[in-house]
Amino acid sequence: MRFLHGPFFMQGDEACAEGAIVAGCRVFAGYPITPSTEIAERLAARLPQVGGVFIQMEDELSSIALIIGASYAGAKVMTATSGPGMSLFMENIGLAFMTEAPIVIVNVMRGGPSTGQPTRASQGDVMQAKWGSHGDYEIIALSPFSVQEMFDLTIEAFNLAEKFRTPVILLADEIVGHMREKVIIKLPEEVEIVNRKKPLSKESFLPFKPDEDLVPPMACFGEGFKVHVTGLTHDFSGFPSSVDPEVHWKLVKRLCDKIRLNSEKIIKVDERFMEDAEIVVVAYGAPARSSLRAVRIARERGLKVGLCRLITLWPFPQRKFLEYAKHTKAFIVVEMNYGQIVREVERCVQGKSVFFLPKMGGDPHTPNEILNLIYEVSGK
């Protein structure tokens, strides 16, 4: 086994690959697409060094299908893509949710729709991550804003996928994926590693009967348990029961509730200068870096401004925003799209003023652009 350890100067995509290795990922299947390709390139070289397998697939459809199967064979698995590739993932994200297959999907976002801007940054896939597949489902999506977080949140994504037996998306943007800065690579024994629950006995075993936390222990193929897996509505046995309304209601409700009822355990936000903030800047990913600079300048000039950086995009931290709304005059939402998370902020803080600073085309917001809106909203 060859693990890296210590400080390195590397790209965000490379740090993501190293985080996957530390988390225990041993199978990666993918199809190269800018700006996520460096993740596949890195893992093609690194996975064989730690006993893992890299597989270049013919397209994105087969990539995600392979990791679902490998997850059920007992491996920790990941795939990575961008833009159009994420669109091709959508049907199988639903399959992974329905079959409770723990998988990690990395989407390094670029400008869209369609092939759009392959080499330019965007945050245009946020709502797609939440709503892109069909039927009722819940997704977990994390948003890194530094190379260090590309490493740390990749590990977190694996831990959440294993804990809740569900697909988890690392939703980065091209700027974070391609920037280079210092990152501290830790050994597996230096970080928390979560592994999926395993059944304790083969007697009376039912592969989809949940424990009290709504998550069933996961028996994998080849371990001696009787396991049947299908995307059709199924009962505890795993066999189809697609015409019984009660079975469907109980199954889909449980799959959604295991995320909804644990949302407070999943959600992470980074709050800066929020103690007395009258104006809250809301940002995530690369724009959060410019936003933090703008908020610091505003504070130096006497304005009561805070920053809420969303680390967890989905589930959305609505309780946090309900609390903010009690003592905040206005919100400024900074996004590299034409209006996505701003809709969630508006929904949660009804009655408060919400100002939106969109940007498309690939260039990030400058601190001055954000600062000018802070001045305008504050009236100073």
Side-chain angles (χ1 to χ4, degrees), residues 109-132:
M109 293 180 284
R110 69 190 211 183
S114 190
T115 41
Q117 295 179 294
T119 62
R120 304 289 284 169
S122 169
Q123 295 178 317
D125 303 346
V126 174
M127 284 298 177
Q128 182 197 40
K130 171 70 173 172
W131 303 109

Side-chain angles (χ1 to χ4, degrees), residues 10-47:
M10 66 171 58
Q11 194 183 63
D13 282 353
E14 296 168 343
C16 171
E18 293 299 328
I21 288 170
V22 171
C25 176
R26 293 298 178 267
V27 175
F28 178 96
Y31 184 81
I33 181 170
T34 304
S36 71
T37 300
E38 293 84 356
I39 298 172
E41 290 177 339
R42 183 89 175 183
L43 287 171
R46 291 282 288 128
L47 274 177

Side-chain angles (χ1 to χ4, degrees), residues 122-367:
S122 169
Q123 295 178 317
D125 303 346
V126 174
M127 284 298 177
Q128 182 197 40
K130 171 70 173 172
W131 303 109
S133 197
H134 60 278
D136 292 290
Y137 71 101
E138 293 288 339
I139 201 75
I140 298 173
L142 310 177
S143 175
F145 96 134
S146 67
V147 172
Q148 184 66 55
E149 280 199 349
M150 284 291 278
F151 175 81
D152 295 336
L153 293 186
T154 299
I155 297 172
E156 178 75 6
F158 273 95
N159 286 347
L160 291 169
E162 294 286 313
K163 182 175 183 178
F164 294 105
R165 281 191 64 176
T166 196
V168 175
I169 300 173
L170 186 73
L171 205 53
D173 55 67
E174 183 274 340
I175 294 172
V176 175
H178 279 167
M179 72 166 63
R180 291 181 181 274
E181 58 186 8
K182 179 182 177 181
V183 56
I184 305 296
I185 303 293
K186 299 177 181 177
L187 296 171
E189 55 266 33
E190 296 175 327
V191 300
E192 180 186 16
I193 301 293
V194 176
N195 297 311
R196 63 195 68 171
K197 287 189 300 183
K198 306 299 292 183
L200 300 177
S201 172
K202 295 176 184 175
E203 292 186 10
S204 304
F205 172 71
L206 293 171
F208 292 95
K209 183 179 181 181
D211 291 337
E212 289 186 0
D213 62 359
L214 304 181
V215 181
M218 187 172 182
C220 293
F221 300 144
E223 294 179 338
F225 294 85
K226 293 180 180 177
V227 180
H228 186 273
V229 182
T230 175
L232 287 168
T233 293
H234 48 272
D235 57 21
F236 290 167
S237 72
F239 284 90
S241 183
S242 59
V243 296
D244 187 327
E246 186 176 356
V247 171
H248 186 80
W249 165 264
K250 287 183 176 179
L251 172 63
V252 177
K253 182 176 184 298
R254 178 180 66 78
L255 295 179
C256 291
D257 282 350
K258 72 178 179 181
I259 306 301
R260 291 182 185 181
L261 298 180
N262 287 296
S263 61
E264 295 306 311
K265 299 176 183 175
I266 297 168
I267 290 170
K268 290 183 177 179
V269 298
D270 178 13
E271 297 173 304
R272 308 285 183 101
F273 310 106
M274 288 293 292
E275 299 78 19
D276 60 348
E278 296 176 351
I279 298 172
V280 175
V281 177
V282 182
Y284 55 94
R289 300 168 73 98
S290 304
S291 297
L292 179 57
R293 177 62 180 153
V295 168
R296 283 177 171 156
I297 295 172
R299 278 281 170 176
E300 290 170 0
R301 298 177 183 178
L303 299 178
K304 293 183 177 180
V305 183
L307 171 67
C308 173
R309 180 172 70 87
L310 302 174
I311 298 173
T312 309
L313 296 178
W314 306 117
F316 188 75
Q318 61 182 25
R319 287 189 182 180
K320 186 72 75 175
F321 278 84
L322 287 171
E323 190 62 31
Y324 292 156
K326 294 178 182 176
H327 52 78
T328 300
K329 293 180 180 177
F331 295 83
I332 295 173
V333 182
V334 182
E335 292 185 273
M336 292 184 71
N337 55 47
Y338 202 42
Q340 302 209 9
I341 280 294
V342 66
R343 299 169 188 264
E344 286 296 288
V345 176
E346 289 171 340
R347 178 179 67 82
C348 295
V349 302
Q350 290 182 14
K352 296 290 182 178
S353 297
V354 178
F355 298 85
F356 182 42
L357 189 59
K359 199 157 191 177
M360 295 187 288
D363 290 334
H365 299 78
T366 67

